[in-house]
Amino acid sequence: MTWFASPSEAVTRLRQTGYLSDDAIATSVFLAGVLEKPLLAEGPAGVGKTQLAKAIAEATGADLVRLQCYEGLDEARALYEWNYKKQLLRIQADDDAWDDIFAEEFLLERPLLKAIRSERPTVLLIDETDKADVEVEGLLLEILSDFQITIPELGTITATRRPFVVLTSNATRELSEALKRRCLYLHLDYPTPERERDIVLAQVPGIAETVAEQLARTAATLRALELKKSPSIAETVDWAHTLLALGREVLDEQTVAETLGVVLKHHSDQQRAAKELGLR
Amino acid sequence: MIDRHIGFVHALRETGLPVSLAEGLDAAHALRHIDLADRETLRAAYAATLVKRPQHREGFDVLFDLWFPSTTQGPRKHRGEDPEDLRDELAELLNGDPAELRAFAQAMVERFGQVQAGPGRQSWFSYPVMRALSPQTLIARLLGERGGLPEKVARRRIATNIAAFEAEVATDVRRRIAEEQGRERITRSAVRPPIDRRDFLRVTKAELAEMRREIHPLARRLATRLSMKHKKGDRGRLDFRRTVRASLQSGGVPLTTHLKPRRPHKPELVVVTDASDSVSGFAQFTLLLTFALREQFTKVRAFAFVDTVDEITKYFAPGADVLDAITRMTTEADISRFGRTDYGHVLRTFEERHADALTPKTSLLILGDARSNYQQPNTETLKRLTGKVRHAYWLNPEPRDQWDTGDSVASGYAAIIPMYECRNVRQLAAFIEETDVGG
Ligand SMILES: Nc1ncnc2c1ncn2[C@@H]1O[C@H](COP(=O)(O)OP(=O)(O)O)[C@@H](O)[C@H]1O
Ligand SMILES: [Mg+2]
């Protein structure tokens, strides 16, 4: 299937879902589609990595299958598992059922299997890959190489249509070289103030353009302070919602001082910012 | 295009960017699908297929601009020709649309950038351009808003635009040099090694700030690694009581097995770090690391030394500002008597005063170059200290081939404690990933 016809078409269609891209995002998304390669989006929290996968699915009318990674995630949760309970019950009911219990109806399908078997266009989001243990990367590498899964009792299942794969990582650790080589890479970072203003305008209907601009510039200033946790796009968007709710038309010092808690979550960051920016 | 593609990939490899054969092919495939005349799409296509670490991006961009230079926008109309008029024009651009900066930068390099480089030889440079236009001195004029937040915001914007202008000038200077003397010549001098390979012992202040961002994830990772007790994949032992209780609902058949949750053991960490001048870049780095670790471990105690050792944990309380902490530590803590590192004395003092910090649950991390001003290594004390703890490691910021040269007593200590060369962020990351801490 053709996911996107060109980078500029990707810009337009992502824009229609409220997602604002740039040259790097649009080109890598377009290429991931035509080259049928997984796209690894890496960067700090809250810069739109997860949202990108969702936007791709929405823009192309594909299903979204999500594998959320965490420490201790294993094959049984990522790939498939036999329904042990159901199998036992069947054997209790019928002693001769031993040959039947490794059949489709006892299979618990997990996200990776689901995405591979799906007949419909599918975006497979493997979210926060860096949280999984290193072993999981081996599994992903295998599956993302030939898009097939072998279940000993059932045989090999090959994708009829390859899913559009997006992996995300907050870079809390480095993913293996092998996995990175297999993927196209997109580094998502805090946006330029111009782009962030546009994101705020797209995500928060009703916000005045001047306020969006001030928010974006102030967020950039806060990020330059090297805080423990820099404000993300998500927080700028929250900030905009807050100002709208409070009915503030300008982002003056008083307003910033009152609402700083929306963007900075650590007390020490708030203190540091107040000091550096000369807020009372 | 093929030739240029091959040359570009070759140059990337030459400057230390690891491009595999398969990745080179990916890039070539990508080129077949995009509009090659659109330079930013071309850049993005190469970046997506070849650059898999953000640290490599800076060098990549420098090379991309050399191999695929932007077309110069022909002669530009200026409002005047004398430097003051040009400064006015720059001021306007810095306040306005950064997209216009490139054409202006190219014109300014043309105008001011060529100077005598040696007897009878002209070449291109950035500094005469910056001297003629002196953008920093425009800041005062550009700051409409004075005081408080608005000034900060305005300053930030202007500084970003000045940096963008300087980058455009530097790019155009490199382009011209490449045109006159060949790309190969400038490639090697133009690209610095990526941040994760820069030597701790030679870092600048600005680089240190950059490294800080690299350190936090590593500290978190180290904490996770040190707390892994069980082999991976071990989901915990069977919880017999819960399993039996649950089986009552299914007529005594244990349909659902309950596993005890894996109980991560809470890691305790003791960091002992060299804070002497011979390792000052490294010391600053290790203090940053210590600070980051402080946030990740339940119990961290940190000690610093020059010729005597003192506890510095309190300066690094969670939430404290790291730079304040470093300043306070250097003025308040008792770590230096005569200012000449003495590892033997330090270990002895540590044992006398702080041995209680070490328990069978502790991981001990010693950070230093083992340069001891010609004092004998105090191996007996170190043996006793490492015997008390669960894990002990020594990270040495010097290249391995300099260990034991001069006053280094590295291998004397390395016989007792695993010692790792740790000169840059990359090696630190490798240490964290490769060390067998699961035991
Ligand atoms: N490019 C973008 N266009 C529109 N909204 C964005 C964009 N990037 C981030 N956002 C906003 O930020 C929020 C958080 O993004 P998310 O994808 O959850 O971050 P991440 O997965 O990187 O941590 C989104 O819900 C959206 O509101
Ligand atoms: Mg996310």
Side-chain angles (χ1 to χ4, degrees):
Chain A
M1 114 160 221
T2 331
W3 293 89
F4 295 98
S6 67
S8 59
E9 200 226 16
V11 172
T12 316
R13 282 167 63 197
L14 291 172
R15 180 76 180 78
Q16 283 160 1
T17 75
Y19 195 88
L20 266 77
S21 50
D22 56 15
D23 283 325
I25 297 175
T27 306
S28 59
V29 166
F30 162 72
L31 287 175
V34 287
L35 301 178
E36 297 195 315
K37 290 183 78 80
L39 176 64
L40 168 60
E42 194 169 55
V47 293
K49 302 182 295 295
T50 305
Q51 191 68 31
L52 175 60
K54 293 181 183 168
I56 294 169
E58 196 186 328
T60 57
D63 295 340
L64 180 75
V65 174
R66 178 176 185 164
L67 173 65
Q68 173 64 50
C69 298
Y70 52 87
E71 213 187 317
L73 173 72
D74 56 10
E75 275 194 37
R77 292 297 143 81
L79 205 51
Y80 69 89
E81 187 170 31
W82 289 106
N83 189 339
Y84 166 63
K85 209 171 191 169
K86 218 169 149 191
Q87 286 176 323
L88 264 183
L89 286 171
R90 166 63 70 85
I91 290 168
Q92 272 200 322
D94 174 5
D95 274 346
D96 298 328
W98 283 98
D99 291 337
D100 306 337
I101 58 170
F102 289 103
E104 184 63 39
E105 64 175 300
F106 299 100
L107 192 67
L108 290 173
E109 186 182 68
R110 305 293 187 209
L112 293 179
L113 179 59
K114 181 167 180 199
I116 295 270
R117 286 210 292 190
S118 175
E119 304 273 315
R120 293 200 8 91
T122 303
V123 172
L124 169 62
L125 165 61
I126 303 175
D127 213 6
E128 307 191 347
T129 314
D130 53 330
K131 285 201 182 143
D133 301 307
V134 183
E135 286 73 8
V136 173
E137 283 181 46
L139 173 70
L140 292 177
L141 197 59
E142 241 180 83
I143 289 173
L144 299 182
S145 301
D146 41 19
F147 289 88
Q148 59 182 34
I149 291 172
T150 301
I151 302 176
E153 298 85 353
L154 294 183
T156 298
I157 296 165
T158 310
T160 39
R161 54 165 84 225
R162 290 193 173 189
F164 190 115
V165 184
V166 179
L167 299 101
T168 78
S169 163
N170 288 346
T172 56
R173 68 179 173 83
E174 201 169 332
L175 302 182
S176 72
E177 300 277 336
L179 187 59
K180 282 187 169 181
R181 273 202 296 273
R182 166 95 19 227
C183 299
L184 297 184
Y185 185 83
L186 172 64
H187 181 62
L188 277 181
D189 212 335
Y190 303 120
T192 60
E194 291 77 22
R195 200 163 92 80
E196 189 160 26
R197 176 200 59 207
D198 294 344
I199 292 175
V200 169
L201 288 172
Q203 296 275 307
V204 188
I207 193 92
E209 199 168 328
T210 49
V211 179
E213 168 101 26
Q214 283 176 319
L215 280 169
R217 300 231 169 258
T218 310
T221 308
L222 288 171
R223 283 174 199 140
L225 295 180
E226 296 267 335
L227 301 168
K228 207 183 287 175
K229 168 82 183 65
S230 283
S232 68
I233 303 179
E235 276 135 1
T236 314
V237 169
D238 284 349
W239 207 5
H241 280 298
T242 308
L243 294 186
L244 200 61
L246 294 175
R248 299 293 166 91
E249 307 269 289
V250 281
L251 187 65
D252 53 18
E253 278 182 38
Q254 165 118 28
T255 308
V256 173
E258 284 168 17
T259 55
L260 205 54
V262 180
V263 268
L264 300 180
K265 302 289 151 70
H266 289 277
H267 186 61
S268 63
D269 281 350
Q270 289 172 21
Q271 280 182 320
R272 172 106 189 264
K275 194 173 119 197
E276 295 271 339
L277 301 180
L279 304 174
R280 284 155 297 264
Chain B
M1 182 66 204
I2 292 285
D3 284 348
R4 195 180 302 194
H5 168 76
I6 291 171
F8 178 52
V9 171
H10 180 74
L12 288 172
R13 290 200 183 108
E14 209 168 61
T15 52
L17 203 141
V19 178
S20 73
L21 214 57
E23 286 167 319
L25 281 175
D26 286 344
H29 285 305
L31 298 187
R32 302 218 313 254
H33 295 280
I34 58 164
D35 175 6
L36 297 174
D38 181 344
R39 194 164 166 264
E40 288 315 309
T41 300
L42 181 64
R43 185 197 298 270
Y46 269 122
T49 46
L50 305 180
V51 189
K52 313 281 169 92
R53 292 171 55 85
Q55 295 90 335
H56 292 152
R57 181 64 201 231
E58 187 188 318
F60 165 85
D61 280 326
V62 168
L63 288 186
F64 182 85
D65 287 332
L66 283 174
W67 254 258
F68 305 94
S70 67
T71 45
T72 39
Q73 270 108 337
R76 227 182 101 87
K77 271 224 164 48
H78 300 293
R79 263 187 284 120
E81 280 309 305
D82 73 63
E84 258 328 297
D85 292 335
L86 294 169
R87 272 167 56 81
D88 288 346
E89 193 169 344
L90 176 59
E92 233 162 73
L93 289 173
L94 290 175
N95 233 357
D97 185 2
E100 297 265 313
L101 279 172
R102 174 174 301 157
F104 183 71
Q106 289 172 349
M108 292 305 99
V109 173
E110 174 80 46
R111 168 86 195 264
F112 299 109
Q114 197 174 37
V115 293
Q116 194 88 11
R121 206 165 58 78
Q122 301 265 305
S123 190
W124 299 94
F125 295 93
S126 290
Y127 75 86
V129 182
M130 292 306 149
R131 203 168 46 197
L133 297 172
S134 175
Q136 300 293 337
T137 60
L138 292 171
I139 295 178
R141 153 149 48 130
L142 287 171
L143 281 176
E145 324 248 17
R146 282 305 179 133
L149 182 62
E151 179 178 334
K152 284 270 179 205
V153 170
R155 267 186 194 284
R156 163 100 200 125
R157 197 187 69 215
I158 296 163
T160 310
N161 288 348
I162 290 180
F165 175 68
E166 285 181 10
E168 291 292 358
V169 168
T171 301
D172 197 51
V173 164
R174 283 191 296 264
R175 179 184 66 80
R176 286 167 199 267
I177 296 176
E179 233 165 52
E180 289 174 7
Q181 304 172 21
R183 278 185 212 117
E184 284 70 19
R185 242 188 101 110
I186 187 153
T187 299
R188 254 152 283 145
S189 58
V191 183
R192 290 188 305 161
I195 186 84
D196 64 328
R197 301 212 181 177
R198 269 175 243 164
D199 211 313
F200 289 142
L201 295 177
R202 276 184 280 278
V203 300
T204 64
K205 252 208 168 118
E207 289 174 330
L208 206 63
E210 239 178 291
M211 283 183 183
R212 239 170 107 178
R213 283 189 284 276
E214 308 268 311
I215 290 172
H216 272 272
L218 288 178
R220 205 173 316 141
R221 184 71 190 147
L222 183 61
T224 328
R225 297 275 301 169
L226 288 173
S227 59
M228 282 190 298
K229 188 169 195 169
H230 304 283
K231 275 213 219 71
K232 297 235 195 69
D234 176 2
R235 272 212 247 160
R237 284 180 302 132
L238 190 71
D239 186 336
F240 191 70
R241 289 176 57 184
R242 281 190 65 202
T243 306
V244 170
R245 211 179 307 134
S247 76
L248 295 179
Q249 292 174 1
S250 46
V253 182
L255 283 185
T256 312
T257 49
H258 286 276
L259 301 177
K260 284 182 179 161
R262 232 203 283 184
R263 192 176 305 139
H265 104 112
K266 290 262 153 76
E268 294 180 11
L269 183 69
V270 170
V271 185
V272 183
T273 183
D274 189 337
S276 66
D277 288 340
S278 77
V279 290
S280 70
F282 179 66
Q284 293 200 45
F285 167 79
T286 57
L287 290 170
L288 291 175
L289 176 67
T290 307
F291 187 71
L293 289 168
R294 186 87 172 78
E295 293 174 350
Q296 298 301 328
F297 286 78
T298 36
K299 255 174 105 177
V300 178
R301 292 181 68 181
F303 300 85
F305 63 87
V306 176
D307 53 8
T308 185
V309 57
D310 196 6
E311 177 153 9
I312 56 167
T313 315
K314 66 172 177 222
Y315 308 118
F316 292 86
D321 184 80
V322 65
L323 299 175
D324 290 350
I326 293 180
T327 320
R328 278 188 65 201
M329 179 206 89
T330 38
T331 51
E332 293 174 28
D334 177 22
I335 56 177
S336 173
R337 295 271 151 84
F338 309 104
R340 308 185 50 172
T341 333
D342 180 348
Y343 277 79
H345 183 247
V346 164
L347 288 170
R348 230 172 356 260
T349 321
F350 184 82
E351 187 180 37
E352 274 166 34
R353 298 193 195 149
H354 307 294
D356 63 314
L358 306 180
T359 76
K361 284 193 203 160
T362 312
S363 298
L364 171 66
L365 203 55
I366 301 179
L367 310 161
D369 62 2
R371 291 210 170 264
S372 204
N373 290 295
Y374 302 99
Q375 312 281 337
Q376 282 302 306
N378 185 349
T379 49
E380 286 313 308
T381 311
L382 185 62
K383 242 182 235 161
R384 282 195 300 278
L385 294 176
T386 56
K388 292 172 134 217
V389 297
R390 183 156 180 262
H391 306 291
Y393 303 102
W394 187 311
L395 303 184
N396 189 330
E398 284 199 328
R400 201 172 273 272
D401 58 17
Q402 283 171 29
W403 294 6
D404 296 335
T405 61
D407 63 342
S408 163
V409 288
S411 57
Y413 290 125
I416 296 163
I417 178 171
M419 190 181 279
Y420 293 81
E421 176 183 304
C422 182
R423 295 163 57 202
N424 53 39
V425 173
R426 197 174 181 81
Q427 286 180 333
L428 178 67
F431 160 74
I432 291 172
E433 289 308 322
E434 283 158 26
T435 317
D436 177 26
V437 289

